[in-house]
Amino acid sequence: MVPARLGTPLDARLYRLSSALPDDRARVAGSAAATDPTRRSVGIMRVYATKETCAVASLCVYQAPEVFDQDEEGQVEVLDPEPPAELHEDVRIAVRGCPTRSIRVE
């Protein structure tokens, strides 16, 4: 169920996307989530984006506005290529939500 405070269809889709990614999956040894490099939370995260493949969906900007923005043409820009640990999960959700896989993390 989508909370009433979410006003636009995009807000509702983002809510469903973020709530459909339970963190307990990563704790199961041997699961795909446990071996997924976007699930790492230890150490420094480095964020990369490819403007040429960006579909201007803006999901990354809504999920992690401290890390992502858009240029005049609407394409992704990385504001903080090494975000602090408290933003890592938001960045991972943005990476998984990117329809063209234009964002990656290491």
Side-chain angles (χ1 to χ4, degrees), residues 13-86:
R13 283 188 302 223
L14 288 172
Y15 176 80
R16 284 193 298 274
L17 173 67
S18 65
S19 62
L21 303 168
D23 289 331
D24 348 323
R25 291 184 315 160
R27 294 187 188 102
V28 179
S31 73
T35 58
D36 182 353
T38 65
R39 300 288 307 169
R40 283 187 232 137
S41 62
V42 179
I44 297 173
M45 172 185 278
R46 181 83 180 151
V47 182
Y48 302 91
T50 307
K51 286 186 171 200
E52 293 79 24
T53 58
C54 179
V56 193
S58 306
L59 297 174
C60 57
V61 177
Y62 288 110
Q63 186 62 44
E66 302 90 345
V67 179
F68 302 104
D69 199 0
Q70 293 174 291
D71 64 14
E72 298 80 32
E73 296 166 0
Q75 294 181 316
V76 65
E77 288 187 332
V78 178
L79 298 176
D80 188 355
E82 293 182 358
E86 61 268 11

